[in-house]
């Protein structure tokens, strides 16, 4: 396939692009044997291509999935062992594909933001002042030593 748009129609993802994506996917399914990694990479590539057949859509989709497999070893292991289907990897939002620690951090931030949104103005100002004191913001400069007679 050609990488250029022909007659106003966007070109499908090229065989070369898809082969590179398969190699990168396979690389992050490391604990699985080579033959299984190739098979799983082909299945995932087929799912990506089914959802994003056009080159300009295919590349970012494949890149996102490869990056998440690299960052999240539990996700890669889940796919390699058959617990995570390829359809889910392609259709899931990035937050669902993120490593567990990042998901927990986001959840904590959401809960904190929700709590802050529920506060009244006076409580919010009081807590802000408490944080400033705790962090040492706006402290007076230290007193100078006086000379002893």
């Amino acid at each position: 396939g050609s990488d250029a748009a022909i007659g106003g129609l966007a070109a499908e993802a090229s065989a070369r692009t898809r082969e590179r994506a398969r190699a990168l996917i396979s690389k992050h399914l490391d604990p699985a044997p080579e033959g299984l990694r190739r098979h799983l990479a082909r299945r995932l590539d087929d799912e990506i291509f089914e959802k994003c057949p056009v080159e300009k859509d295919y590349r970012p989709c494949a890149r996102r999935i490869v990056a998440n497999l690299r960052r999240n070893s539990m996700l890669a292991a889940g796919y390699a062992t058959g617990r995570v289907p390829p359809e889910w990897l392609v259709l899931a939002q990035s937050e669902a594909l993120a490593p567990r620690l990042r998901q927990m951090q986001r959840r904590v931030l959401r809960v904190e933001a929700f709590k802050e949104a529920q506060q009244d103005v006076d409580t919010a100002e009081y807590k802000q002042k408490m944080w400033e004191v705790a962090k040492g913001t706006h402290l007076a400069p230290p007193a100078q030593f006086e000379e002893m007679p």
Side-chain angles (χ1 to χ4, degrees), residues 10-121:
E12 282 190 347
S14 69
R16 183 168 168 246
T17 299
R18 292 185 67 190
E19 192 52 46
R20 273 190 271 155
R22 286 179 186 169
L24 288 171
I25 291 167
S26 178
K27 179 178 160 186
H28 297 294
L29 303 175
D30 205 21
E34 179 63 29
L36 179 59
R37 287 194 335 228
R38 277 198 309 269
H39 174 72
L40 290 170
R42 195 174 324 107
R43 281 191 60 206
L44 186 52
D45 169 64
D46 289 344
E47 283 297 324
I48 296 168
F49 186 71
E50 186 176 311
K51 180 181 180 257
C52 309
V54 178
E55 178 94 20
K56 73 177 186 66
D57 297 331
Y58 177 90
R59 283 175 179 246
C61 184
R63 206 175 290 132
R64 177 182 63 88
I65 291 169
V66 168
N68 282 303
L69 289 173
R70 179 176 31 89
R71 290 184 196 121
N72 190 344
S73 57
M74 286 178 58
L75 179 68
Y79 179 61
T81 58
R83 287 181 286 133
V84 176
E87 302 85 4
W88 188 84
L89 280 173
V90 173
L91 298 175
Q93 294 180 350
S94 289
E95 187 170 335
L97 301 174
R100 193 158 187 74
L101 179 61
R102 184 163 299 138
Q103 289 180 9
M104 296 301 285
Q105 289 169 336
R106 287 176 180 160
R107 188 171 298 147
V108 166
L109 290 174
R110 268 197 310 271
V111 168
E112 288 299 316
F114 182 71
K115 284 180 184 176
E116 287 177 15
Q118 289 182 321
Q119 296 178 33
D120 60 45
V121 176

